[in-house]
Amino acid sequence: MSTPHTASTTEEYLPCDTADVVRTVRDSRGRSEQLMVYGGEQAVELDSEELTLPAAPTVVSLRRMNKVLDINLGRRTVRVQAGAKLSEIDRKLGAHGLGLPIVGDHRDITAGGFASVGGVSTASHKYGLFIDQVVDLEYVDTDGRIGTCGRTHHTERFQRLLGAGGRAGIITALTLDAIEVDKDRTWLNTNADRFLDFDSFVEHAYAEIARPGDAELQVGRWVDTAPLKVARPVGTGHVQLGTVRFGQWSSLHPTVPTRSLRARREVGSRARKSLGAIASAASGKAGMPVRNAAAGAVLFAPKVQTLRDAEYLADTALSSSERGPAYRVGVFAPLSSYMSVFYRLHDLFSGHRERTGCFTVISAMTYGVRSPYLRTESAARGLPAEDHGLITFTCRLRPTAWPSELLRDIVSGVEEICRSEKALRYSAE
């Protein structure tokens, strides 16, 4: 049965099954409560136009709905509750020689949470979005009714629920496609190209996304800092240094490792995990160098690693460096306007930094995305039905230089870029 917990002014429900979710939704309607659905890694609001919503929400956490219900070896599918972590699903599939084609880069991402936001990964150039792997799902709507939908039945409702951020209903169970793969014995060789010039980085990223070849995984990362100030070694005051700008494109291809490369991979993997643990415990200005080193560990990835290691590389190091307030935005850019979108977004953020000092570090990640779902969504909006590149920017904030009117200017700037370039916003929040 769903168990309520109260923390401060927020009440949390922990359903164990779909029937518990139904009772919680119906009870909340009777009390005119706002519901926030929490899958384990993020909260999303359940939308109902008929509800009068108070300021304090009621949280529905699906973390107890975390079971793998069935693995169908013949169909290569897996049925799971929405709160099941993708890393655990993948591990259980691995015992049968199967795996999920798309997983997030963090081990705590859940199936329902990823489906609610679309779900992108370094394998999206090959397999599309996570929601392209969803065969069917079970949900509870805003009236507390149970429904099912999928690729072959109630397809309109299916499209509405996927990627809706939980606003169209609460996903309670999903059936997912799996592929035949041994992620612990599939070895990948990293081809890394590094850049000090932004234009060259973008041009190379476009070429790799348009022609990925046999790459199993691919990702590009760019980091652009504000001018650095360091204390003078002698005397008082500071010395201002130039900006730090660098990027890397990584394509990971199948390989057969030698014994020495296996040993190097093991040492490197342990070192990055240790660095991530140290950086996670580091706080304040004193911990900044360690956290920056953790981010650098991702840029300088090992030459040879297993598919499973590569999928979760960011989880071992990068997340420890991502502390403090930041503005984040993601855009699916059609390949025909990919470079233009990338340049314009970068100019938007760097221009605001130069004029107002609102940002410190501007970083970007980019992936190729070949998604049937995105093609359908684009066509439905009258946009070109073509392949995309996902461009995400994370801009570290100086809170004292972040007035609300500046946020409105930036948001309107991003929306104008999307409109004129026929791009789609991506929300992973």
Side-chain angles (χ1 to χ4, degrees):
M1 185 173 180
S2 183
T3 305
H5 295 270
T6 301
S8 182
T9 58
T10 300
E11 193 170 30
E12 180 184 52
Y13 283 85
L14 300 169
C16 296
D17 54 29
T18 303
D20 280 350
V21 176
V22 169
R23 284 191 288 270
T24 300
V25 171
R26 290 178 178 176
D27 288 348
S28 73
R29 287 184 62 85
R31 297 193 296 268
S32 295
E33 291 179 335
Q34 177 186 6
L35 286 183
M36 298 291 288
V37 185
Y38 185 81
E41 75 289 341
Q42 64 181 359
V44 292
E45 180 180 330
L46 180 62
D47 185 27
S48 176
E49 295 179 353
E50 301 176 12
L51 293 180
T52 302
L53 303 179
T58 296
V59 174
V60 181
S61 173
L62 303 182
R63 64 177 180 269
R64 289 184 178 175
M65 295 179 60
N66 56 10
K67 297 177 182 176
V68 174
L69 302 173
D70 178 65
I71 297 176
N72 189 316
L73 298 180
R75 295 181 178 178
R76 293 182 185 171
T77 60
V78 56
R79 181 77 173 172
V80 301
Q81 289 184 307
K85 294 180 180 180
L86 297 184
S87 56
E88 287 300 309
I89 299 169
D90 219 23
R91 183 180 61 81
K92 291 187 177 183
L93 285 172
H96 302 279
L98 301 175
L100 295 174
I102 298 292
V103 296
D105 58 3
H106 295 274
R107 288 177 170 82
D108 291 333
I109 293 175
T110 63
F114 219 32
S116 292
V117 299
V120 69
S121 86
T122 52
S124 288
H125 67 287
K126 187 174 183 179
Y127 296 109
L129 300 175
F130 180 73
I131 52 180
D132 290 311
Q133 323 307 319
V134 180
V135 179
D136 57 53
L137 54 83
E138 174 191 79
Y139 65 93
V140 175
D141 68 15
T142 56
D143 293 315
R145 297 173 299 196
I146 301 175
T148 62
C149 54
R151 293 173 182 167
T152 59
H153 66 290
H154 302 301
T155 53
E156 289 186 7
R157 167 65 68 167
F158 187 58
Q159 290 291 116
R160 184 183 173 196
L161 282 161
L162 293 174
R167 290 176 291 274
I170 301 176
I171 297 174
T172 54
L174 310 89
T175 301
L176 307 171
D177 280 329
I179 57 174
E180 187 173 350
V181 64
D182 186 342
K183 293 188 176 183
D184 293 310
R185 291 182 174 82
T186 298
W187 290 83
L188 303 176
N189 180 70
T190 303
N191 292 336
D193 295 279
R194 299 184 177 99
F195 303 87
L196 298 177
D197 174 68
F198 182 70
D199 289 356
S200 299
F201 169 76
V202 173
E203 291 170 4
H204 185 85
Y206 169 77
E208 292 289 340
I209 290 172
R211 296 178 293 278
D214 69 344
E216 289 289 330
L217 307 176
Q218 59 172 206
V219 61
R221 300 180 176 93
W222 176 263
V223 176
D224 187 339
T225 73
L228 301 177
K229 290 184 178 181
V230 297
R232 293 180 183 274
V234 178
T236 59
H238 293 79
V239 176
Q240 180 163 304
L241 305 179
T243 60
V244 176
R245 308 174 83 231
F246 62 92
Q248 175 173 300
W249 179 269
S250 300
S251 294
L252 286 79
H253 301 265
T255 190
V256 177
T258 63
R259 181 178 297 179
S260 62
L261 287 176
R262 286 174 186 260
R264 286 172 55 188
R265 167 257 176 188
E266 185 64 25
V267 172
S269 176
R270 291 179 180 179
R272 284 188 306 280
K273 289 179 180 179
S274 299
L275 181 58
I278 295 170
S280 295
S283 60
K285 293 184 177 180
M288 183 62 72
V290 181
R291 295 196 297 274
N292 289 341
V298 176
L299 277 175
F300 296 95
K303 182 67 175 175
V304 175
Q305 56 191 315
T306 66
L307 176 56
R308 195 178 305 280
D309 282 347
E311 286 178 331
Y312 292 116
L313 178 62
D315 193 38
T316 64
L318 186 61
S319 60
S320 62
S321 69
E322 294 189 348
R323 290 189 176 185
Y327 174 77
R328 296 181 177 86
V329 65
V331 173
F332 288 113
L335 286 189
S336 57
S337 61
Y338 172 84
M339 289 197 296
S340 177
V341 172
F342 215 150
Y343 290 139
R344 292 181 65 183
L345 287 172
H346 182 267
D347 289 347
L348 175 68
F349 300 130
S350 59
H352 275 285
R353 182 177 65 185
E354 183 177 345
R355 290 190 300 272
T356 69
C358 58
F359 300 133
T360 56
V361 179
I362 297 173
S363 61
M365 294 184 68
T366 185
Y367 312 85
V369 182
R370 286 171 171 77
S371 165
Y373 175 89
L374 272 186
R375 284 176 167 267
T376 301
E377 184 71 12
S378 297
R381 299 189 187 190
L383 302 176
E386 57 181 295
D387 293 330
H388 294 75
L390 175 63
I391 304 165
T392 65
F393 273 88
T394 300
C395 305
R396 297 289 152 193
L397 299 176
R398 287 192 179 98
T400 56
W402 187 242
S404 58
E405 58 270 19
L406 179 57
L407 174 60
R408 287 193 293 269
D409 288 345
I410 291 175
V411 171
S412 63
V414 172
E415 290 175 349
E416 169 55 28
I417 292 171
C418 289
R419 279 194 300 268
S420 60
E421 302 288 356
K422 297 180 171 55
L424 298 171
R425 284 286 302 272
Y426 174 61
S427 175
E429 299 299 328

